[in-house]
Coordinates of all heavy atoms in Angstrom, one line a residue:
L396 N -75.9 -89.9 61.4 CA -74.9 -89.9 62.5 C -73.9 -91.0 62.2 O -74.2 -92.1 61.7 CB -75.5 -90.1 63.8 CG -76.5 -89.0 64.2 CD1 -77.0 -89.3 65.7 CD2 -76.0 -87.6 64.1
A397 N -72.6 -90.7 62.6 CA -71.6 -91.7 62.4 C -71.8 -92.9 63.3 O -72.4 -92.8 64.4 CB -70.2 -91.1 62.7
E398 N -71.3 -94.1 62.9 CA -71.4 -95.3 63.7 C -70.0 -95.6 64.3 O -69.1 -94.9 64.0 CB -71.8 -96.5 62.8 CG -73.2 -96.2 62.1 CD -73.5 -97.3 61.1 OE1 -72.6 -98.0 60.7 OE2 -74.6 -97.3 60.6
D399 N -69.9 -96.6 65.1 CA -68.7 -96.9 65.8 C -67.6 -97.3 64.8 O -66.4 -97.0 65.0 CB -68.8 -98.0 66.8 CG -69.7 -97.6 68.0 OD1 -69.7 -96.4 68.3 OD2 -70.2 -98.5 68.6
T400 N -68.0 -97.9 63.6 CA -67.0 -98.4 62.7 C -67.0 -97.5 61.4 O -66.2 -97.9 60.5 CB -67.4 -99.8 62.3 OG1 -68.8 -99.9 61.9 CG2 -67.2 -100.7 63.5
G401 N -67.7 -96.5 61.3 CA -67.7 -95.7 60.1 C -68.6 -94.5 60.2 O -69.2 -94.2 61.2
L402 N -68.8 -93.8 59.1 CA -69.6 -92.6 59.0 C -71.1 -92.9 58.7 O -71.8 -91.9 58.4 CB -69.0 -91.6 58.0 CG -67.6 -91.0 58.4 CD1 -67.2 -90.0 57.4 CD2 -67.6 -90.4 59.8
G403 N -71.4 -94.2 58.7 CA -72.8 -94.5 58.3 C -73.0 -94.6 56.8 O -72.2 -94.1 56.0
I404 N -74.1 -95.2 56.4 CA -74.4 -95.3 55.0 C -75.0 -94.0 54.5 O -76.1 -93.6 54.8 CB -75.4 -96.5 54.8 CG1 -74.8 -97.8 55.1 CG2 -75.9 -96.5 53.3 CD1 -75.7 -99.0 55.0
H405 N -74.1 -93.2 53.9 CA -74.5 -91.9 53.5 C -74.7 -91.8 52.0 O -74.5 -92.7 51.2 CB -73.5 -90.9 53.9 CG -72.1 -91.2 53.6 ND1 -71.2 -91.9 54.5 CD2 -71.3 -91.0 52.5 CE1 -70.0 -92.1 53.9 NE2 -70.1 -91.6 52.7
V406 N -75.2 -90.7 51.5 CA -75.5 -90.4 50.1 C -74.5 -89.4 49.6 O -74.3 -88.3 50.2 CB -76.9 -90.0 49.8 CG1 -77.3 -88.8 50.6 CG2 -77.1 -89.8 48.3
T407 N -73.8 -89.8 48.5 CA -72.9 -88.8 47.9 C -73.4 -88.7 46.4 O -74.0 -89.6 45.9 CB -71.4 -89.2 47.9 OG1 -71.3 -90.5 47.3 CG2 -70.9 -89.3 49.3
V408 N -73.1 -87.5 45.9 CA -73.4 -87.3 44.5 C -72.1 -87.1 43.7 O -71.2 -86.6 44.3 CB -74.3 -86.1 44.2 CG1 -75.7 -86.3 44.8 CG2 -73.7 -84.8 44.9
D409 N -72.0 -87.6 42.5 CA -70.8 -87.5 41.7 C -70.9 -86.2 40.9 O -71.9 -85.5 40.9 CB -70.5 -88.7 40.9 CG -71.5 -89.0 39.9 OD1 -72.3 -88.1 39.5 OD2 -71.6 -90.2 39.4
L410 N -69.9 -85.9 40.1 CA -69.9 -84.6 39.4 C -70.9 -84.6 38.3 O -71.2 -83.6 37.7 CB -68.5 -84.4 38.8 CG -67.4 -84.1 39.9 CD1 -66.0 -84.3 39.4 CD2 -67.6 -82.6 40.4
A411 N -71.4 -85.8 37.9 CA -72.5 -85.9 36.9 C -73.9 -85.8 37.5 O -74.9 -85.8 36.8 CB -72.4 -87.2 36.1
G412 N -73.9 -85.7 38.9 CA -75.2 -85.6 39.6 C -75.8 -86.9 40.0 O -76.9 -86.9 40.6
A413 N -75.2 -88.0 39.7 CA -75.7 -89.3 40.1 C -75.5 -89.6 41.6 O -74.5 -89.2 42.1 CB -75.1 -90.4 39.2
A414 N -76.4 -90.3 42.2 CA -76.3 -90.6 43.6 C -75.9 -92.0 43.9 O -76.2 -92.9 43.1 CB -77.7 -90.3 44.3
R415 N -75.1 -92.2 45.0 CA -74.7 -93.5 45.4 C -74.8 -93.5 46.9 O -74.6 -92.5 47.6 CB -73.3 -93.9 44.9 CG -72.3 -92.9 45.4 CD -71.0 -93.1 44.6 NE -70.1 -92.0 44.9 CZ -69.1 -91.7 44.1 NH1 -68.9 -92.3 43.0 NH2 -68.3 -90.7 44.4
F416 N -75.0 -94.7 47.5 CA -75.2 -94.9 49.0 C -74.1 -95.8 49.5 O -73.8 -96.8 48.9 CB -76.5 -95.4 49.3 CG -77.7 -94.5 49.0 CD1 -78.3 -94.7 47.8 CD2 -78.1 -93.6 49.9 CE1 -79.4 -93.9 47.4 CE2 -79.2 -92.8 49.5 CZ -79.8 -92.9 48.3
G417 N -73.5 -95.4 50.6 CA -72.5 -96.3 51.2 C -71.4 -95.4 51.8 O -71.5 -94.2 51.8
P418 N -70.4 -96.1 52.3 CA -70.2 -97.5 52.4 C -70.7 -98.1 53.7 O -70.9 -97.3 54.7 CB -68.7 -97.7 52.3 CG -68.2 -96.5 53.0 CD -69.1 -95.4 52.7
D419 N -71.0 -99.4 53.7 CA -71.2 -100.1 55.0 C -69.9 -100.5 55.5 O -68.8 -100.2 54.9 CB -72.2 -101.2 54.8 CG -71.7 -102.3 53.8 OD1 -70.7 -102.0 53.1 OD2 -72.4 -103.3 53.7
V420 N -69.8 -101.4 56.5 CA -68.5 -101.9 57.0 C -68.6 -103.4 57.2 O -69.5 -103.9 57.9 CB -68.2 -101.2 58.3 CG1 -66.9 -101.8 58.9 CG2 -68.0 -99.7 58.1
Q421 N -67.7 -104.1 56.6 CA -67.5 -105.5 56.8 C -66.1 -105.8 57.1 O -65.2 -105.5 56.2 CB -67.9 -106.3 55.6 CG -69.4 -106.3 55.2 CD -69.7 -107.0 53.9 OE1 -69.5 -106.4 52.8 NE2 -70.1 -108.2 54.0
W422 N -65.8 -106.3 58.2 CA -64.4 -106.6 58.6 C -64.0 -107.9 57.9 O -64.7 -108.9 58.1 CB -64.2 -106.7 60.1 CG -64.4 -105.4 60.7 CD1 -65.5 -104.9 61.3 CD2 -63.4 -104.4 60.9 NE1 -65.3 -103.6 61.8 CE2 -64.0 -103.3 61.6 CE3 -62.0 -104.3 60.6 CZ2 -63.3 -102.1 61.9 CZ3 -61.3 -103.1 60.9 CH2 -62.0 -102.1 61.6
I423 N -62.9 -107.9 57.1 CA -62.5 -109.1 56.4 C -61.0 -109.4 56.7 O -60.3 -108.5 57.2 CB -62.7 -108.9 54.9 CG1 -62.0 -107.7 54.3 CG2 -64.2 -108.8 54.5 CD1 -62.1 -107.4 52.8
D424 N -60.6 -110.6 56.4 CA -59.3 -111.0 56.7 C -58.3 -110.8 55.6 O -57.1 -110.8 55.9 CB -59.3 -112.5 57.1 CG -60.1 -112.8 58.3 OD1 -60.1 -112.0 59.2 OD2 -60.8 -113.9 58.4
D425 N -58.7 -110.6 54.4 CA -57.8 -110.5 53.3 C -58.4 -109.5 52.2 O -59.6 -109.2 52.3 CB -57.5 -111.8 52.6 CG -56.1 -111.8 52.0 OD1 -55.5 -110.7 51.8 OD2 -55.6 -112.9 51.6
I426 N -57.6 -109.1 51.3 CA -58.1 -108.2 50.2 C -59.1 -108.9 49.3 O -58.7 -109.8 48.6 CB -56.9 -107.6 49.5 CG1 -56.0 -106.8 50.4 CG2 -57.4 -106.7 48.3 CD1 -54.7 -106.4 49.8
D427 N -60.3 -108.5 49.4 CA -61.4 -109.2 48.6 C -62.4 -108.1 48.3 O -63.1 -107.6 49.1 CB -62.0 -110.3 49.4 CG -63.2 -111.0 48.7 OD1 -63.5 -110.7 47.5 OD2 -63.8 -111.9 49.3
Y428 N -62.6 -107.8 47.0 CA -63.5 -106.8 46.5 C -64.9 -107.4 46.1 O -65.7 -106.7 45.4 CB -62.9 -106.0 45.4 CG -61.8 -105.1 45.8 CD1 -60.5 -105.4 45.4 CD2 -62.0 -104.0 46.6 CE1 -59.4 -104.6 45.8 CE2 -60.9 -103.2 47.0 CZ -59.7 -103.5 46.6 OH -58.6 -102.7 46.9
G429 N -65.2 -108.6 46.5 CA -66.5 -109.2 46.1 C -67.6 -108.3 46.6 O -67.6 -107.7 47.7
F430 N -68.7 -108.3 45.8 CA -69.9 -107.6 46.2 C -71.0 -108.5 46.6 O -71.3 -109.5 46.0 CB -70.4 -106.8 44.9 CG -71.4 -105.7 45.3 CD1 -70.9 -104.4 45.4 CD2 -72.7 -105.9 45.5 CE1 -71.8 -103.3 45.7 CE2 -73.6 -104.9 45.8 CZ -73.1 -103.6 45.9
D431 N -71.6 -108.2 47.8 CA -72.7 -109.0 48.4 C -74.0 -108.3 48.2 O -74.4 -107.4 49.0 CB -72.3 -109.2 49.9 CG -73.3 -110.1 50.6 OD1 -74.3 -110.6 49.9 OD2 -73.2 -110.2 51.8
E432 N -74.8 -108.7 47.2 CA -76.1 -108.1 46.9 C -77.1 -108.4 48.0 O -78.1 -107.7 48.1 CB -76.6 -108.6 45.6 CG -75.8 -108.1 44.4 CD -76.6 -108.2 43.1 OE1 -77.8 -107.8 43.0 OE2 -76.0 -108.8 42.1
S433 N -76.8 -109.4 48.9 CA -77.8 -109.7 49.9 C -77.9 -108.6 51.0 O -78.8 -108.6 51.8 CB -77.4 -111.0 50.6 OG -76.2 -110.9 51.4
R434 N -77.0 -107.7 50.9 CA -77.0 -106.6 51.9 C -77.9 -105.4 51.5 O -78.0 -104.4 52.1 CB -75.5 -106.1 52.1 CG -74.6 -107.1 52.7 CD -73.2 -106.7 52.9 NE -73.0 -105.8 54.0 CZ -72.8 -106.1 55.2 NH1 -72.8 -107.4 55.5 NH2 -72.6 -105.3 56.2
R435 N -78.5 -105.6 50.3 CA -79.4 -104.5 49.8 C -80.5 -104.1 50.8 O -80.8 -102.9 51.0 CB -80.1 -105.0 48.5 CG -81.0 -103.9 47.9 CD -81.9 -104.6 46.8 NE -81.2 -105.4 45.9 CZ -80.6 -105.0 44.8 NH1 -80.8 -103.8 44.4 NH2 -80.0 -105.8 44.0
Q436 N -81.1 -105.1 51.5 CA -82.2 -104.8 52.5 C -81.6 -104.0 53.6 O -82.3 -103.0 54.1 CB -82.8 -106.1 53.0 CG -84.0 -105.9 54.0 CD -85.1 -105.0 53.4 OE1 -85.7 -105.3 52.4 NE2 -85.4 -103.9 54.1
R437 N -80.4 -104.3 54.1 CA -79.8 -103.6 55.2 C -79.5 -102.2 54.8 O -79.8 -101.2 55.5 CB -78.5 -104.3 55.6 CG -77.8 -103.7 56.7 CD -76.5 -104.4 57.1 NE -76.8 -105.8 57.4 CZ -75.9 -106.7 57.9 NH1 -74.7 -106.3 58.1 NH2 -76.3 -107.9 58.2
F438 N -79.1 -102.0 53.5 CA -78.9 -100.6 53.0 C -80.2 -99.9 53.0 O -80.3 -98.7 53.4 CB -78.3 -100.7 51.6 CG -76.8 -100.6 51.5 CD1 -76.0 -101.7 52.0 CD2 -76.2 -99.5 51.1 CE1 -74.7 -101.6 51.9 CE2 -74.8 -99.4 51.0 CZ -74.0 -100.5 51.4
A439 N -81.3 -100.5 52.4 CA -82.5 -99.8 52.3 C -83.1 -99.4 53.6 O -83.6 -98.3 53.8 CB -83.5 -100.8 51.6
T440 N -83.0 -100.2 54.7 CA -83.4 -99.9 56.0 C -82.7 -98.6 56.5 O -83.3 -97.7 57.1 CB -83.3 -101.1 56.9 OG1 -84.0 -102.2 56.5 CG2 -83.7 -100.7 58.3
A441 N -81.4 -98.6 56.4 CA -80.6 -97.5 56.9 C -80.9 -96.2 56.1 O -81.0 -95.1 56.7 CB -79.1 -97.8 56.7
I442 N -81.1 -96.3 54.8 CA -81.3 -95.1 54.0 C -82.7 -94.5 54.2 O -82.9 -93.3 54.3 CB -81.2 -95.5 52.5 CG1 -79.8 -95.9 52.2 CG2 -81.6 -94.3 51.6 CD1 -79.6 -96.6 50.8
R443 N -83.7 -95.4 54.5 CA -85.1 -94.9 54.7 C -85.2 -94.1 55.9 O -86.2 -93.4 56.1 CB -86.1 -96.1 54.6 CG -86.3 -96.6 53.3 CD -87.5 -97.5 53.2 NE -87.8 -98.0 51.9 CZ -87.6 -99.3 51.5 NH1 -87.2 -100.2 52.4 NH2 -87.8 -99.7 50.3
R444 N -84.3 -94.2 56.9 CA -84.4 -93.4 58.1 C -84.3 -91.9 57.7 O -84.9 -91.1 58.3 CB -83.2 -93.7 59.0 CG -83.3 -95.1 59.6 CD -82.3 -95.2 60.8 NE -82.7 -94.5 61.9 CZ -82.0 -93.6 62.5 NH1 -80.9 -93.2 62.0 NH2 -82.5 -93.0 63.6
Y445 N -83.5 -91.5 56.6 CA -83.5 -90.1 56.2 C -84.0 -89.9 54.8 O -84.2 -88.7 54.5 CB -82.0 -89.6 56.3 CG -81.0 -90.4 55.5 CD1 -80.8 -90.1 54.2 CD2 -80.2 -91.3 56.1 CE1 -79.9 -90.7 53.4 CE2 -79.3 -92.0 55.4 CZ -79.1 -91.7 54.0 OH -78.1 -92.4 53.3
Y446 N -84.3 -90.9 54.1 CA -84.9 -90.8 52.8 C -86.1 -91.8 52.7 O -85.9 -92.9 52.1 CB -83.9 -91.1 51.7 CG -84.3 -91.1 50.3 CD1 -85.4 -90.2 49.8 CD2 -83.7 -91.9 49.3 CE1 -85.8 -90.2 48.5 CE2 -84.2 -92.0 48.0 CZ -85.2 -91.1 47.6 OH -85.6 -91.1 46.3
P447 N -87.2 -91.5 53.3 CA -88.3 -92.5 53.4 C -88.9 -92.9 52.0 O -89.5 -94.0 51.9 CB -89.4 -91.7 54.2 CG -88.6 -90.6 54.9 CD -87.5 -90.2 54.0
A448 N -88.7 -92.1 51.0 CA -89.4 -92.4 49.7 C -88.5 -93.3 48.9 O -88.9 -93.6 47.7 CB -89.6 -91.1 48.9
L449 N -87.4 -93.9 49.4 CA -86.6 -94.8 48.6 C -87.4 -95.9 48.1 O -88.1 -96.6 48.8 CB -85.4 -95.3 49.5 CG -84.6 -96.4 48.9 CD1 -83.7 -95.8 47.7 CD2 -83.7 -97.1 49.9
E450 N -87.2 -96.2 46.8 CA -87.7 -97.4 46.2 C -86.5 -98.4 46.1 O -85.6 -98.2 45.4 CB -88.2 -97.1 44.8 CG -89.4 -96.1 44.7 CD -89.7 -95.7 43.3 OE1 -89.8 -96.6 42.4 OE2 -89.9 -94.5 43.0
E451 N -86.6 -99.5 46.8 CA -85.5 -100.4 47.0 C -85.1 -101.0 45.6 O -83.9 -101.2 45.4 CB -85.9 -101.6 47.9 CG -84.7 -102.5 48.2 CD -85.1 -103.6 49.2 OE1 -86.0 -103.3 50.1 OE2 -84.5 -104.6 49.2
A452 N -86.0 -101.1 44.7 CA -85.6 -101.7 43.4 C -84.7 -100.8 42.6 O -84.0 -101.2 41.7 CB -86.9 -101.9 42.5
R453 N -84.6 -99.5 43.0 CA -83.7 -98.6 42.3 C -82.2 -98.7 42.8 O -81.3 -98.1 42.2 CB -84.1 -97.1 42.5 CG -85.5 -96.8 41.9 CD -85.8 -95.3 42.1 NE -84.8 -94.4 41.5 CZ -84.8 -93.1 41.8 NH1 -85.6 -92.6 42.7 NH2 -83.9 -92.3 41.2
L454 N -82.0 -99.4 43.9 CA -80.7 -99.7 44.3 C -80.0 -100.7 43.5 O -80.5 -101.9 43.4 CB -80.7 -100.1 45.8 CG -81.1 -99.1 46.8 CD1 -81.1 -99.7 48.2 CD2 -80.2 -97.8 46.8
V455 N -78.9 -100.4 42.8 CA -78.2 -101.3 42.0 C -76.8 -101.4 42.4 O -76.2 -100.5 43.0 CB -78.2 -100.9 40.5 CG1 -79.7 -100.9 40.0 CG2 -77.6 -99.6 40.3
P456 N -76.1 -102.6 42.3 CA -74.8 -102.8 42.8 C -73.8 -101.7 42.2 O -73.9 -101.5 41.0 CB -74.4 -104.2 42.4 CG -75.7 -104.9 42.3 CD -76.7 -103.9 41.8
G457 N -73.0 -101.1 43.0 CA -72.0 -100.2 42.6 C -70.6 -100.8 42.6 O -70.2 -101.4 41.6
Y458 N -69.9 -100.6 43.7 CA -68.6 -101.1 43.8 C -68.2 -101.3 45.2 O -69.0 -100.9 46.1 CB -67.6 -100.1 43.1 CG -67.6 -98.7 43.6 CD1 -66.7 -98.3 44.6 CD2 -68.5 -97.8 43.1 CE1 -66.7 -97.0 45.1 CE2 -68.5 -96.5 43.6 CZ -67.6 -96.1 44.6 OH -67.7 -94.8 45.1
T459 N -67.0 -101.8 45.5 CA -66.6 -102.0 46.9 C -65.2 -101.3 47.0 O -64.5 -101.2 46.0 CB -66.4 -103.5 47.3 OG1 -65.5 -104.1 46.4 CG2 -67.8 -104.2 47.2
G460 N -64.9 -100.9 48.2 CA -63.6 -100.4 48.6 C -63.1 -101.0 49.9 O -64.0 -101.6 50.6
I461 N -61.9 -100.9 50.1 CA -61.3 -101.5 51.4 C -60.5 -100.4 52.1 O -59.6 -99.8 51.5 CB -60.5 -102.7 51.1 CG1 -61.3 -103.9 50.5 CG2 -59.9 -103.2 52.5 CD1 -60.5 -105.1 50.1
R462 N -60.8 -100.2 53.3 CA -60.0 -99.2 54.1 C -59.0 -100.0 55.0 O -59.4 -101.0 55.7 CB -60.9 -98.4 55.0 CG -61.7 -97.3 54.3 CD -63.0 -96.9 55.0 NE -64.0 -98.0 54.9 CZ -65.2 -97.9 55.4 NH1 -65.6 -96.8 56.0 NH2 -66.1 -98.9 55.2

Side-chain angles (χ1 to χ4, degrees):
L396 298 187
E398 302 168 348
D399 291 338
T400 54
L402 296 183
I404 294 174
H405 49 266
V406 55
T407 58
V408 291
D409 62 22
L410 289 163
R415 60 194 169 203
F416 296 92
D419 60 351
V420 177
Q421 295 173 277
W422 294 93
I423 56 178
D424 296 325
D425 208 348
I426 299 172
D427 177 4
Y428 290 111
F430 197 97
D431 182 2
E432 289 197 53
S433 70
R434 299 177 75 84
R435 183 197 310 268
Q436 181 58 56
R437 182 177 303 186
F438 266 72
T440 299
I442 295 164
R443 285 194 179 111
R444 294 192 73 240
Y445 58 85
Y446 176 34
L449 172 71
E450 300 173 44
E451 187 176 331
R453 293 181 63 193
L454 292 178
V455 296
Y458 57 95
T459 59
I461 299 175
R462 287 156 286 184

